[in-house]
Amino acid sequence: MKKNRWIIIGIAFFVIVAIGNYIWVNAQMDSLYAFRSLLHDAPPAPGEAFDWAQEEEPTRRVVFILVDALRNDTSHKTDVMPYLNELRTQGAWATSHSQLPSYSAPGYSVIGTGAWPHLSDGPAMNLDYENIPTWTQDNIFSAAHRAGLKTAISGYYWFEKLIPQNDVDASFYTPDEDSAADRAVVDAALPWIESGDYQLIFIHLDQVDYAGHHEGGPQDPRWDAAAGRVDDHIREIVSQLDLELDTVIITSDHGQIDSGGHGGHEEIVLTEPLVLAGAGITPGQYPDTEMVDIAPTVTALLGANIPAISQGHILFDMLTFLPEQETALKEAQDTQLRQLHAAYSEAIGDPLPIREDFGVVDGTNFAVDAMLLQQEEKTRRLRFNLPVALAILPAYLIFRSWKKIKWLFAGAIAYFILFNIYYAFIAKRAYSLSSVAGLESFTQFNAVTASVLLGGIWLFLMLKLGFFKKGASEIAETTIILTILTLYLVSLPILWHYAVNGFMVTWYLPNFPIMFRGFLGMIQSIMVAVTGIVLTGVGALAAQLTKKS
């Protein structure tokens, strides 16, 4: 028993590693799916609507068209979307930028509330329909309804759960995402436009996103075909408007990577088109904007209050407000952002003063984000000692034992390099959530890759070093050392992730690129540990058989 104690300890260690990482992965994902804003239970109170004289109203209604997953570069293709580009020449346009995570549900929430995902209280990830929460924070539909305006929405059925339905006067929702669904969405919305009864009409078109996920991605001809059909829908919708009196706004919630998919940090998925045309709009190309600017701009056009949670700015340069209207709106935005700052200060418990040297609006918005960063840094500093120690101590032990384990450590390095070569260059996967088409398939791919690579490297080393001719205990111990060294290298991104993001998602969203690397490392750790147990047994058995023969 004493002779085999290190083998028993090694196998027990692998069991703990596998189970521990499995529990951690699931706890981490559950906490991310359950994330809610610090202001969830204490939403800032909305301000007052604006009582413009009828002849001073910038528009009689806003028709908002959200084209799901439309990439900015696709929107500029005149052969694919000629009508959208025609609207660009008539109206105001800019490039809009969003923030992580670049999924639809967080994007919808940012567009609707004007707050980034850590504040909007929308889902941080895409959820199943039955699990989608309703916005607790002020939003463009609630603001319009309080102002006595009628609202209508036609689109994907997630909006039925996200938007407080008491603030929606007419609706059509579909669980489908393809071209037939878009046709039904447009057919439902056209009568609302023709009636003239609704002042905010929101139309969500989903087939471009469908083409990205199910028809080969943006490099497939079917992507451009879907965008072309959407362009026809936009033409059909806008043809029912009088752009002397009405305003149309067109944007997207995110882009997609070339192979299809989104959710990650790639520039292409965090960049969207923004086009405004019609009444109240000053035509021209404008500097880049942010997604949070859309909600306060919509409510300003409608004369409704700026959403109370909004972190964005009204895009005054694009709008034709009278001087006194612009002054009133800026004062209202000043008040709104100061109230948001106060609410967040109370929630976070350690406020920063407003930076008046940035200007009232910019200073307030800066302070809200800076408070978040300040608290994140405090929390992270408390966590760094443990991962640093767990990274340095094994490195020291490896250095002390270098002559005995150099071949095994070379094998661990070979695993680490080959895994990443296969992942990035052969399988052509991104180190981001955009590459995760499905959690089950992603996990299976990485688990199989890890076990096959480790098994191949183990077999090569055992043959090269002649371990099959030695005793069962020696080959088992050598296998355990190889597995431990591989686990050490695989654990480095996990330790980095823990230092930055912690064990679980709590009151702030994680650094998603670092989290993804840690998540990838945890999946590998589970499979490396399991494979190490199997190889330990296989090696011992092979040694026994070789000895008998």
Side-chain angles (χ1 to χ4, degrees), residues 99 110 113-120 290-293 295-296 306-314 333 336-337 340 344 361-362 364-370 372:
Q99 289 187 4
V110 173
T113 65
W116 293 122
H118 69 89
L119 272 186
S120 71
E290 295 188 312
M291 187 179 280
V292 289
D293 298 332
I306 299 164
I309 194 72
S310 171
Q311 294 176 275
H313 302 97
I314 299 169
Q333 188 163 49
Q336 177 263 316
L337 284 171
L340 173 61
Y344 199 62
V361 171
D362 290 337
T364 308
N365 204 20
F366 170 84
V368 169
D369 289 336
L372 174 65

mmCIF file of all heavy atoms in Angstrom, residues 99 110 113-120 290-293 295-296 306-314 333 336-337 340 344 361-362 364-370 372:
data_model
loop_
_atom_site.group_PDB
_atom_site.id
_atom_site.type_symbol
_atom_site.label_atom_id
_atom_site.label_comp_id
_atom_site.label_asym_id
_atom_site.label_seq_id
_atom_site.Cartn_x
_atom_site.Cartn_y
_atom_site.Cartn_z
ATOM 1 N N GLN A 99 -21.522 46.998 -26.453
ATOM 2 C CA GLN A 99 -20.588 46.429 -25.487
ATOM 3 C C GLN A 99 -20.919 44.961 -25.254
ATOM 4 O O GLN A 99 -22.009 44.486 -25.598
ATOM 5 C CB GLN A 99 -20.635 47.191 -24.158
ATOM 6 C CG GLN A 99 -20.032 48.580 -24.217
ATOM 7 C CD GLN A 99 -19.940 49.240 -22.842
ATOM 8 O OE1 GLN A 99 -20.259 48.639 -21.817
ATOM 9 N NE2 GLN A 99 -19.499 50.494 -22.824
ATOM 10 N N VAL A 110 -30.303 47.041 -24.045
ATOM 11 C CA VAL A 110 -29.565 48.300 -24.165
ATOM 12 C C VAL A 110 -30.339 49.266 -25.063
ATOM 13 O O VAL A 110 -30.487 50.448 -24.745
ATOM 14 C CB VAL A 110 -28.149 48.054 -24.725
ATOM 15 C CG1 VAL A 110 -27.439 49.380 -25.002
ATOM 16 C CG2 VAL A 110 -27.333 47.221 -23.752
ATOM 17 N N THR A 113 -33.533 50.482 -23.090
ATOM 18 C CA THR A 113 -33.394 51.243 -21.844
ATOM 19 C C THR A 113 -32.362 52.358 -21.926
ATOM 20 O O THR A 113 -32.390 53.287 -21.118
ATOM 21 C CB THR A 113 -32.979 50.316 -20.687
ATOM 22 O OG1 THR A 113 -31.670 49.790 -20.951
ATOM 23 C CG2 THR A 113 -33.973 49.164 -20.524
ATOM 24 N N GLY A 114 -31.391 52.234 -22.842
ATOM 25 C CA GLY A 114 -30.313 53.206 -22.908
ATOM 26 C C GLY A 114 -29.222 52.956 -21.886
ATOM 27 O O GLY A 114 -28.370 53.815 -21.662
ATOM 28 N N ALA A 115 -29.203 51.772 -21.269
ATOM 29 C CA ALA A 115 -28.185 51.438 -20.268
ATOM 30 C C ALA A 115 -27.402 50.221 -20.720
ATOM 31 O O ALA A 115 -27.956 49.314 -21.347
ATOM 32 C CB ALA A 115 -28.833 51.162 -18.917
ATOM 33 N N TRP A 116 -26.126 50.190 -20.379
ATOM 34 C CA TRP A 116 -25.292 49.046 -20.724
ATOM 35 C C TRP A 116 -25.732 47.818 -19.937
ATOM 36 O O TRP A 116 -26.432 47.956 -18.917
ATOM 37 C CB TRP A 116 -23.828 49.360 -20.467
ATOM 38 C CG TRP A 116 -23.247 50.405 -21.363
ATOM 39 C CD1 TRP A 116 -22.670 51.584 -20.985
ATOM 40 C CD2 TRP A 116 -23.166 50.370 -22.806
ATOM 41 N NE1 TRP A 116 -22.235 52.283 -22.094
ATOM 42 C CE2 TRP A 116 -22.535 51.570 -23.223
ATOM 43 C CE3 TRP A 116 -23.577 49.459 -23.781
ATOM 44 C CZ2 TRP A 116 -22.298 51.867 -24.568
ATOM 45 C CZ3 TRP A 116 -23.346 49.756 -25.125
ATOM 46 C CH2 TRP A 116 -22.711 50.941 -25.504
ATOM 47 N N PRO A 117 -25.319 46.616 -20.354
ATOM 48 C CA PRO A 117 -25.840 45.395 -19.727
ATOM 49 C C PRO A 117 -25.670 45.303 -18.212
ATOM 50 O O PRO A 117 -26.502 44.680 -17.549
ATOM 51 C CB PRO A 117 -25.055 44.281 -20.444
ATOM 52 C CG PRO A 117 -24.800 44.829 -21.807
ATOM 53 C CD PRO A 117 -24.525 46.307 -21.572
ATOM 54 N N HIS A 118 -24.622 45.910 -17.653
ATOM 55 C CA HIS A 118 -24.450 45.801 -16.203
ATOM 56 C C HIS A 118 -25.481 46.610 -15.435
ATOM 57 O O HIS A 118 -25.685 46.390 -14.233
ATOM 58 C CB HIS A 118 -23.029 46.212 -15.792
ATOM 59 C CG HIS A 118 -22.734 47.678 -15.951
ATOM 60 N ND1 HIS A 118 -22.966 48.594 -14.956
ATOM 61 C CD2 HIS A 118 -22.221 48.373 -16.995
ATOM 62 C CE1 HIS A 118 -22.609 49.790 -15.369
ATOM 63 N NE2 HIS A 118 -22.153 49.696 -16.599
ATOM 64 N N LEU A 119 -26.184 47.547 -16.120
ATOM 65 C CA LEU A 119 -27.195 48.374 -15.462
ATOM 66 C C LEU A 119 -28.609 48.132 -15.963
ATOM 67 O O LEU A 119 -29.572 48.352 -15.235
ATOM 68 C CB LEU A 119 -26.866 49.867 -15.664
ATOM 69 C CG LEU A 119 -25.960 50.558 -14.662
ATOM 70 C CD1 LEU A 119 -25.900 52.050 -14.961
ATOM 71 C CD2 LEU A 119 -26.436 50.336 -13.239
ATOM 72 N N SER A 120 -28.766 47.710 -17.208
ATOM 73 C CA SER A 120 -30.094 47.678 -17.849
ATOM 74 C C SER A 120 -31.059 46.751 -17.141
ATOM 75 O O SER A 120 -32.272 46.928 -17.229
ATOM 76 C CB SER A 120 -29.956 47.240 -19.303
ATOM 77 O OG SER A 120 -29.630 45.864 -19.391
ATOM 78 N N GLU A 290 -22.846 55.467 -29.712
ATOM 79 C CA GLU A 290 -22.921 54.250 -28.912
ATOM 80 C C GLU A 290 -24.376 53.797 -28.843
ATOM 81 O O GLU A 290 -25.311 54.602 -28.945
ATOM 82 C CB GLU A 290 -22.381 54.499 -27.507
ATOM 83 C CG GLU A 290 -20.894 54.835 -27.496
ATOM 84 C CD GLU A 290 -20.332 54.895 -26.097
ATOM 85 O OE1 GLU A 290 -20.958 55.551 -25.235
ATOM 86 O OE2 GLU A 290 -19.280 54.280 -25.854
ATOM 87 N N MET A 291 -24.544 52.497 -28.647
ATOM 88 C CA MET A 291 -25.891 51.937 -28.624
ATOM 89 C C MET A 291 -26.766 52.581 -27.548
ATOM 90 O O MET A 291 -27.982 52.731 -27.725
ATOM 91 C CB MET A 291 -25.820 50.423 -28.415
ATOM 92 C CG MET A 291 -27.147 49.711 -28.545
ATOM 93 S SD MET A 291 -27.016 47.924 -28.324
ATOM 94 C CE MET A 291 -26.432 47.432 -29.943
ATOM 95 N N VAL A 292 -26.161 52.984 -26.426
ATOM 96 C CA VAL A 292 -26.950 53.597 -25.350
ATOM 97 C C VAL A 292 -27.517 54.958 -25.749
ATOM 98 O O VAL A 292 -28.406 55.489 -25.062
ATOM 99 C CB VAL A 292 -26.124 53.753 -24.059
ATOM 100 C CG1 VAL A 292 -25.867 52.407 -23.409
ATOM 101 C CG2 VAL A 292 -24.824 54.496 -24.319
ATOM 102 N N ASP A 293 -27.015 55.545 -26.842
ATOM 103 C CA ASP A 293 -27.523 56.847 -27.282
ATOM 104 C C ASP A 293 -28.877 56.740 -27.976
ATOM 105 O O ASP A 293 -29.565 57.748 -28.159
ATOM 106 C CB ASP A 293 -26.533 57.502 -28.257
ATOM 107 C CG ASP A 293 -25.175 57.773 -27.634
ATOM 108 O OD1 ASP A 293 -25.120 57.969 -26.404
ATOM 109 O OD2 ASP A 293 -24.172 57.778 -28.374
ATOM 110 N N ALA A 295 -31.836 55.068 -27.179
ATOM 111 C CA ALA A 295 -33.061 55.218 -26.382
ATOM 112 C C ALA A 295 -33.363 56.678 -26.034
ATOM 113 O O ALA A 295 -34.494 57.137 -26.248
ATOM 114 C CB ALA A 295 -32.980 54.368 -25.116
ATOM 115 N N PRO A 296 -32.407 57.447 -25.488
ATOM 116 C CA PRO A 296 -32.739 58.847 -25.181
ATOM 117 C C PRO A 296 -33.045 59.662 -26.432
ATOM 118 O O PRO A 296 -33.835 60.614 -26.374
ATOM 119 C CB PRO A 296 -31.494 59.363 -24.459
ATOM 120 C CG PRO A 296 -30.393 58.449 -24.842
ATOM 121 C CD PRO A 296 -31.034 57.114 -25.041
ATOM 122 N N ILE A 306 -36.620 61.039 -20.877
ATOM 123 C CA ILE A 306 -35.421 60.223 -21.106
ATOM 124 C C ILE A 306 -35.503 59.033 -20.157
ATOM 125 O O ILE A 306 -35.760 59.213 -18.961
ATOM 126 C CB ILE A 306 -34.157 61.048 -20.830
ATOM 127 C CG1 ILE A 306 -34.090 62.247 -21.774
ATOM 128 C CG2 ILE A 306 -32.910 60.188 -20.956
ATOM 129 C CD1 ILE A 306 -33.114 63.305 -21.334
ATOM 130 N N PRO A 307 -35.335 57.791 -20.653
ATOM 131 C CA PRO A 307 -35.407 56.641 -19.737
ATOM 132 C C PRO A 307 -34.519 56.848 -18.519
ATOM 133 O O PRO A 307 -33.352 57.229 -18.631
ATOM 134 C CB PRO A 307 -34.922 55.477 -20.616
ATOM 135 C CG PRO A 307 -35.329 55.875 -22.007
ATOM 136 C CD PRO A 307 -35.120 57.371 -22.050
ATOM 137 N N ALA A 308 -35.060 56.589 -17.348
ATOM 138 C CA ALA A 308 -34.386 56.955 -16.097
ATOM 139 C C ALA A 308 -33.072 56.237 -15.878
ATOM 140 O O ALA A 308 -32.209 56.728 -15.158
ATOM 141 C CB ALA A 308 -35.332 56.678 -14.926
ATOM 142 N N ILE A 309 -32.898 55.096 -16.518
ATOM 143 C CA ILE A 309 -31.679 54.311 -16.350
ATOM 144 C C ILE A 309 -30.643 54.634 -17.425
ATOM 145 O O ILE A 309 -29.526 54.133 -17.404
ATOM 146 C CB ILE A 309 -32.027 52.803 -16.386
ATOM 147 C CG1 ILE A 309 -30.866 51.928 -15.884
ATOM 148 C CG2 ILE A 309 -32.445 52.368 -17.783
ATOM 149 C CD1 ILE A 309 -30.632 52.001 -14.429
ATOM 150 N N SER A 310 -30.988 55.485 -18.372
ATOM 151 C CA SER A 310 -30.159 55.715 -19.559
ATOM 152 C C SER A 310 -28.775 56.259 -19.208
ATOM 153 O O SER A 310 -28.631 57.174 -18.400
ATOM 154 C CB SER A 310 -30.855 56.693 -20.514
ATOM 155 O OG SER A 310 -29.985 57.082 -21.555
ATOM 156 N N GLN A 311 -27.759 55.689 -19.844
ATOM 157 C CA GLN A 311 -26.393 56.189 -19.750
ATOM 158 C C GLN A 311 -25.966 56.900 -21.032
ATOM 159 O O GLN A 311 -24.827 57.352 -21.136
ATOM 160 C CB GLN A 311 -25.432 55.026 -19.493
ATOM 161 C CG GLN A 311 -25.606 54.332 -18.165
ATOM 162 C CD GLN A 311 -24.676 53.142 -18.034
ATOM 163 O OE1 GLN A 311 -24.981 52.045 -18.471
ATOM 164 N NE2 GLN A 311 -23.512 53.376 -17.437
ATOM 165 N N GLY A 312 -26.877 56.995 -21.990
ATOM 166 C CA GLY A 312 -26.530 57.555 -23.291
ATOM 167 C C GLY A 312 -26.784 59.037 -23.383
ATOM 168 O O GLY A 312 -27.215 59.697 -22.427
ATOM 169 N N HIS A 313 -26.520 59.566 -24.574
ATOM 170 C CA HIS A 313 -26.696 60.983 -24.838
ATOM 171 C C HIS A 313 -27.650 61.169 -26.012
ATOM 172 O O HIS A 313 -27.608 60.389 -26.974
ATOM 173 C CB HIS A 313 -25.358 61.647 -25.168
ATOM 174 C CG HIS A 313 -24.335 61.492 -24.086
ATOM 175 N ND1 HIS A 313 -23.370 60.508 -24.110
ATOM 176 C CD2 HIS A 313 -24.144 62.192 -22.942
ATOM 177 C CE1 HIS A 313 -22.624 60.615 -23.021
ATOM 178 N NE2 HIS A 313 -23.069 61.625 -22.300
ATOM 179 N N ILE A 314 -28.482 62.156 -25.929
ATOM 180 C CA ILE A 314 -29.338 62.507 -27.064
ATOM 181 C C ILE A 314 -28.441 62.973 -28.201
ATOM 182 O O ILE A 314 -27.539 63.789 -28.005
ATOM 183 C CB ILE A 314 -30.335 63.609 -26.667
ATOM 184 C CG1 ILE A 314 -31.240 63.120 -25.525
ATOM 185 C CG2 ILE A 314 -31.174 64.029 -27.870
ATOM 186 C CD1 ILE A 314 -32.073 64.218 -24.894
ATOM 187 N N GLN A 333 -31.762 65.908 -19.208
ATOM 188 C CA GLN A 333 -30.745 64.864 -19.202
ATOM 189 C C GLN A 333 -29.768 65.051 -18.049
ATOM 190 O O GLN A 333 -29.318 64.069 -17.443
ATOM 191 C CB GLN A 333 -29.995 64.849 -20.526
ATOM 192 C CG GLN A 333 -29.059 63.652 -20.663
ATOM 193 C CD GLN A 333 -28.635 63.405 -22.094
ATOM 194 O OE1 GLN A 333 -28.211 64.330 -22.778
ATOM 195 N NE2 GLN A 333 -28.746 62.168 -22.551
ATOM 196 N N GLN A 336 -31.626 63.705 -15.068
ATOM 197 C CA GLN A 336 -31.747 62.240 -15.160
ATOM 198 C C GLN A 336 -30.426 61.560 -14.798
ATOM 199 O O GLN A 336 -30.403 60.589 -14.020
ATOM 200 C CB GLN A 336 -32.183 61.842 -16.570
ATOM 201 C CG GLN A 336 -32.262 60.341 -16.803
ATOM 202 C CD GLN A 336 -31.022 59.769 -17.471
ATOM 203 O OE1 GLN A 336 -30.492 60.343 -18.421
ATOM 204 N NE2 GLN A 336 -30.532 58.640 -16.977
ATOM 205 N N LEU A 337 -29.323 62.064 -15.336
ATOM 206 C CA LEU A 337 -28.036 61.427 -15.072
ATOM 207 C C LEU A 337 -27.584 61.640 -13.629
ATOM 208 O O LEU A 337 -26.945 60.776 -13.028
ATOM 209 C CB LEU A 337 -26.983 61.938 -16.048
ATOM 210 C CG LEU A 337 -27.076 61.351 -17.463
ATOM 211 C CD1 LEU A 337 -26.142 62.078 -18.417
ATOM 212 C CD2 LEU A 337 -26.754 59.859 -17.449
ATOM 213 N N LEU A 340 -29.484 59.127 -11.661
ATOM 214 C CA LEU A 340 -28.879 57.805 -11.873
ATOM 215 C C LEU A 340 -27.609 57.672 -11.048
ATOM 216 O O LEU A 340 -27.371 56.636 -10.415
ATOM 217 C CB LEU A 340 -28.572 57.606 -13.363
ATOM 218 C CG LEU A 340 -27.790 56.347 -13.734
ATOM 219 C CD1 LEU A 340 -28.560 55.094 -13.331
ATOM 220 C CD2 LEU A 340 -27.472 56.329 -15.234
ATOM 221 N N TYR A 344 -27.075 54.865 -8.148
ATOM 222 C CA TYR A 344 -25.984 53.902 -8.228
ATOM 223 C C TYR A 344 -25.022 54.072 -7.061
ATOM 224 O O TYR A 344 -24.480 53.096 -6.549
ATOM 225 C CB TYR A 344 -25.255 54.048 -9.566
ATOM 226 C CG TYR A 344 -24.434 52.843 -9.935
ATOM 227 C CD1 TYR A 344 -25.044 51.606 -10.128
ATOM 228 C CD2 TYR A 344 -23.060 52.924 -10.102
ATOM 229 C CE1 TYR A 344 -24.304 50.489 -10.475
ATOM 230 C CE2 TYR A 344 -22.308 51.815 -10.447
ATOM 231 C CZ TYR A 344 -22.945 50.598 -10.630
ATOM 232 O OH TYR A 344 -22.207 49.494 -10.965
ATOM 233 N N VAL A 361 -23.137 66.451 -18.123
ATOM 234 C CA VAL A 361 -23.597 65.158 -18.614
ATOM 235 C C VAL A 361 -22.458 64.148 -18.641
ATOM 236 O O VAL A 361 -22.549 63.053 -18.099
ATOM 237 C CB VAL A 361 -24.234 65.307 -20.011
ATOM 238 C CG1 VAL A 361 -24.503 63.943 -20.618
ATOM 239 C CG2 VAL A 361 -25.544 66.079 -19.910
ATOM 240 N N ASP A 362 -21.337 64.520 -19.274
ATOM 241 C CA ASP A 362 -20.224 63.595 -19.371
ATOM 242 C C ASP A 362 -19.672 63.248 -17.990
ATOM 243 O O ASP A 362 -19.299 62.111 -17.726
ATOM 244 C CB ASP A 362 -19.109 64.179 -20.236
ATOM 245 C CG ASP A 362 -19.501 64.248 -21.708
ATOM 246 O OD1 ASP A 362 -20.390 63.484 -22.097
ATOM 247 O OD2 ASP A 362 -18.923 65.066 -22.442
ATOM 248 N N THR A 364 -21.253 63.128 -15.106
ATOM 249 C CA THR A 364 -22.135 62.219 -14.385
ATOM 250 C C THR A 364 -22.001 60.811 -14.928
ATOM 251 O O THR A 364 -21.889 59.841 -14.176
ATOM 252 C CB THR A 364 -23.592 62.699 -14.511
ATOM 253 O OG1 THR A 364 -23.658 64.061 -14.143
ATOM 254 C CG2 THR A 364 -24.507 61.895 -13.620
ATOM 255 N N ASN A 365 -22.021 60.691 -16.223
ATOM 256 C CA ASN A 365 -21.918 59.370 -16.833
ATOM 257 C C ASN A 365 -20.570 58.733 -16.520
ATOM 258 O O ASN A 365 -20.472 57.546 -16.253
ATOM 259 C CB ASN A 365 -22.110 59.488 -18.346
ATOM 260 C CG ASN A 365 -22.592 58.196 -18.961
ATOM 261 O OD1 ASN A 365 -23.120 57.343 -18.260
ATOM 262 N ND2 ASN A 365 -22.410 58.046 -20.247
ATOM 263 N N PHE A 366 -19.523 59.556 -16.534
ATOM 264 C CA PHE A 366 -18.192 59.066 -16.190
ATOM 265 C C PHE A 366 -18.177 58.512 -14.779
ATOM 266 O O PHE A 366 -17.616 57.452 -14.511
ATOM 267 C CB PHE A 366 -17.171 60.203 -16.317
ATOM 268 C CG PHE A 366 -15.815 59.864 -15.755
ATOM 269 C CD1 PHE A 366 -14.888 59.182 -16.524
ATOM 270 C CD2 PHE A 366 -15.479 60.214 -14.460
ATOM 271 C CE1 PHE A 366 -13.635 58.861 -16.005
ATOM 272 C CE2 PHE A 366 -14.236 59.896 -13.931
ATOM 273 C CZ PHE A 366 -13.317 59.230 -14.709
ATOM 274 N N ALA A 367 -18.815 59.211 -13.850
ATOM 275 C CA ALA A 367 -18.787 58.802 -12.452
ATOM 276 C C ALA A 367 -19.469 57.456 -12.245
ATOM 277 O O ALA A 367 -19.009 56.629 -11.454
ATOM 278 C CB ALA A 367 -19.455 59.863 -11.590
ATOM 279 N N VAL A 368 -20.569 57.194 -12.958
ATOM 280 C CA VAL A 368 -21.270 55.917 -12.816
ATOM 281 C C VAL A 368 -20.362 54.769 -13.244
ATOM 282 O O VAL A 368 -20.214 53.775 -12.533
ATOM 283 C CB VAL A 368 -22.572 55.926 -13.642
ATOM 284 C CG1 VAL A 368 -23.170 54.534 -13.729
ATOM 285 C CG2 VAL A 368 -23.570 56.896 -13.036
ATOM 286 N N ASP A 369 -19.739 54.897 -14.406
ATOM 287 C CA ASP A 369 -18.848 53.833 -14.870
ATOM 288 C C ASP A 369 -17.597 53.738 -13.997
ATOM 289 O O ASP A 369 -17.086 52.640 -13.752
ATOM 290 C CB ASP A 369 -18.451 54.075 -16.327
ATOM 291 C CG ASP A 369 -19.613 53.841 -17.277
ATOM 292 O OD1 ASP A 369 -20.529 53.093 -16.899
ATOM 293 O OD2 ASP A 369 -19.600 54.413 -18.383
ATOM 294 N N ALA A 370 -17.080 54.880 -13.530
ATOM 295 C CA ALA A 370 -15.877 54.874 -12.709
ATOM 296 C C ALA A 370 -16.123 54.216 -11.357
ATOM 297 O O ALA A 370 -15.244 53.534 -10.818
ATOM 298 C CB ALA A 370 -15.376 56.301 -12.506
ATOM 299 N N LEU A 372 -18.120 51.747 -10.811
ATOM 300 C CA LEU A 372 -18.091 50.310 -11.092
ATOM 301 C C LEU A 372 -16.649 49.820 -11.184
ATOM 302 O O LEU A 372 -16.271 48.817 -10.566
ATOM 303 C CB LEU A 372 -18.840 50.018 -12.388
ATOM 304 C CG LEU A 372 -18.790 48.573 -12.898
ATOM 305 C CD1 LEU A 372 -19.494 47.641 -11.933
ATOM 306 C CD2 LEU A 372 -19.405 48.477 -14.283
#
